[in-house]
Amino acid sequence: MNKGLLIGAAVVVAALAISPNYIGTEVEKSLQHNAVQISQLPGYQLEVTSLEQSWFNTRATLILAMDMTEMGAGEAETALELPEITIDLDINHGPLLFSGLGAVGVADWTATVDGQELREHLNWPAETPFYRIQGVTGLSGNSSFQDMFSAFEGKQTELLSSMSFSGYVGSGEITGDEIRYYGAADSLTLQSEELNIPSQQLAVNLQAEADFASMLRGEFYDSDTLFSLEKLNIINNQSAQPITLDGLKFRAQSQVNHEQETGSIALDYRLANLTMPEFNASDLQLAMDVSQISLDFLKAYQEFIRHLAA
């Protein structure tokens, strides 16, 4: 299962769940509006299949379908057929609530993906949802939330004999047009007949002046994202010495100049230590900066890539 697709699905669930309009009779309108907006994005189709409402609670079930070709993530002949994902949404709405996250708000909500469609490829505890996000929308309209992916074991495939993931926990907040988020996982291990690849302490730290829909559309916005991996070993079963990477970091920054209608991108790759048979290195860095890119060019390039993939 492609990790990028799991992240994309998680962003869709977050975009659906986090809404300032989950108050009273506005809940149904907000849900339908969000589903329509997400369905207009390349590669995503979201449908509300059931909706139950009372004065202070709304429960809904939605079906998410993703098409890798339309996303520009693969060619039509080779793209994976992805299973539809069922999302269960439970919203408690005001006038005033005391959230389980320790905050007072006008709405608290939980969205879960039980992930039964994925059990063909992955194993995890039967009573645990594959993904869950829960949060609260405060009196000011700002939201705070926590999310998690369950720990899982991958079933054997042609490429992998085993896969083990420790689970993932994250938290974030949305204040006005800004998103702040931090998430981490202890370990991910991939193993094949020839290689064993354990990794430790994966983390992501994100700050963006955008909403989730803009992220899914791939728009250009002010952002600062740091991905880090404390340790990665690549062990060849026929070799005595592994390849070891310590302190791997990737930082991506983007900035928009609205007056000039241009954007800038800075990419920074760092590696504290690299150990290989007969070779060692430390404090490695590769930095790239691209400035004053036309926003119209970026939009046209994204459309070109999508059409080329299709």
Side-chain angles (χ1 to χ4, degrees):
M1 180 60 61
N2 187 293
K3 289 184 290 183
L5 294 171
L6 294 179
I7 294 171
V11 174
V12 169
V13 177
L16 174 70
I18 302 172
S19 171
N21 296 322
Y22 285 159
I23 305 174
T25 58
E26 294 298 312
V27 177
E28 181 177 2
K29 294 180 182 178
S30 184
L31 275 178
Q32 297 289 358
H33 173 77
N34 287 352
V36 170
Q37 293 296 309
I38 291 172
S39 296
Q40 292 176 352
L41 304 176
Y44 294 93
Q45 286 295 321
L46 186 65
E47 180 185 0
V48 180
T49 58
S50 69
L51 185 69
E52 298 179 4
Q53 285 188 285
S54 63
W55 281 105
F56 300 113
N57 178 263
T58 298
R59 294 185 178 183
T61 300
L62 302 97
I63 302 295
L64 171 66
M66 296 184 292
D67 188 308
M68 289 180 63
T69 303
E70 292 186 12
M71 292 179 193
E75 298 180 357
E77 294 81 3
T78 59
L80 293 173
E81 291 189 11
L82 303 174
E84 293 183 338
I85 295 175
T86 301
I87 304 167
D88 294 310
L89 184 60
D90 191 341
I91 308 164
N92 297 310
H93 31 88
L96 192 64
L97 296 170
F98 293 91
S99 168
L101 295 179
V104 178
V106 294
D108 69 31
W109 35 264
T110 301
T112 58
V113 176
D114 64 16
Q116 297 304 313
E117 307 88 349
L118 304 177
R119 289 192 180 276
E120 179 181 351
H121 308 283
L122 306 172
N123 289 320
W124 69 92
E127 302 302 321
T128 303
F130 182 73
Y131 177 76
R132 180 179 67 236
I133 179 170
Q134 57 183 347
V136 57
T137 300
L139 301 175
S140 63
N142 299 330
S143 296
S144 59
F145 61 94
Q146 297 176 352
D147 70 337
M148 58 77 67
F149 280 98
S150 173
F152 61 77
E153 301 286 335
K155 297 182 179 180
Q156 185 172 352
T157 67
E158 293 181 359
L159 297 177
L160 293 175
S161 56
S162 68
M163 174 173 58
S164 178
F165 182 57
S166 64
Y168 173 94
V169 176
S171 63
E173 59 182 9
I174 300 177
T175 306
D177 294 328
E178 184 178 51
I179 298 174
R180 293 177 180 268
Y181 179 79
Y182 175 80
D186 287 337
S187 65
L188 171 65
T189 299
L190 306 176
Q191 190 165 4
S192 68
E193 292 183 1
E194 298 181 353
L195 296 175
N196 182 19
I197 307 176
S199 58
Q200 298 174 6
Q201 301 302 317
L202 304 86
V204 57
N205 199 324
L206 166 71
Q207 179 178 341
E209 295 184 12
D211 55 25
F212 286 109
S214 299
M215 291 181 174
L216 289 168
R217 283 193 297 267
E219 294 181 2
F220 202 87
Y221 47 84
D222 290 353
S223 67
D224 188 353
T225 306
L226 176 65
F227 295 95
S228 62
L229 184 62
E230 188 65 27
K231 182 180 287 291
L232 173 67
N233 289 330
I234 303 174
I235 304 168
N236 189 318
N237 295 332
Q238 298 178 353
S239 174
Q241 184 177 358
I243 299 173
T244 301
L245 294 81
D246 294 309
L248 179 62
K249 295 182 179 180
F250 168 63
R251 186 176 186 181
Q253 296 172 289
S254 60
Q255 189 171 17
V256 178
N257 186 322
H258 295 284
E259 293 182 357
Q260 298 181 5
E261 296 186 348
T262 60
S264 300
I265 302 173
L267 304 177
D268 188 279
Y269 301 83
R270 300 193 182 202
L271 183 60
N273 291 289
L274 172 63
T275 303
M276 302 174 62
E278 302 181 2
F279 178 80
N280 295 324
S282 61
D283 297 326
L284 301 175
Q285 181 179 6
L286 172 63
M288 295 182 288
D289 288 281
V290 183
S291 301
Q292 296 184 330
I293 312 169
S294 166
L295 296 181
D296 288 337
F297 169 79
L298 288 172
K299 293 177 183 177
Y301 178 75
Q302 287 175 331
E303 287 300 317
F304 170 75
I305 292 299
R306 292 192 184 107
H307 287 300
L308 184 65

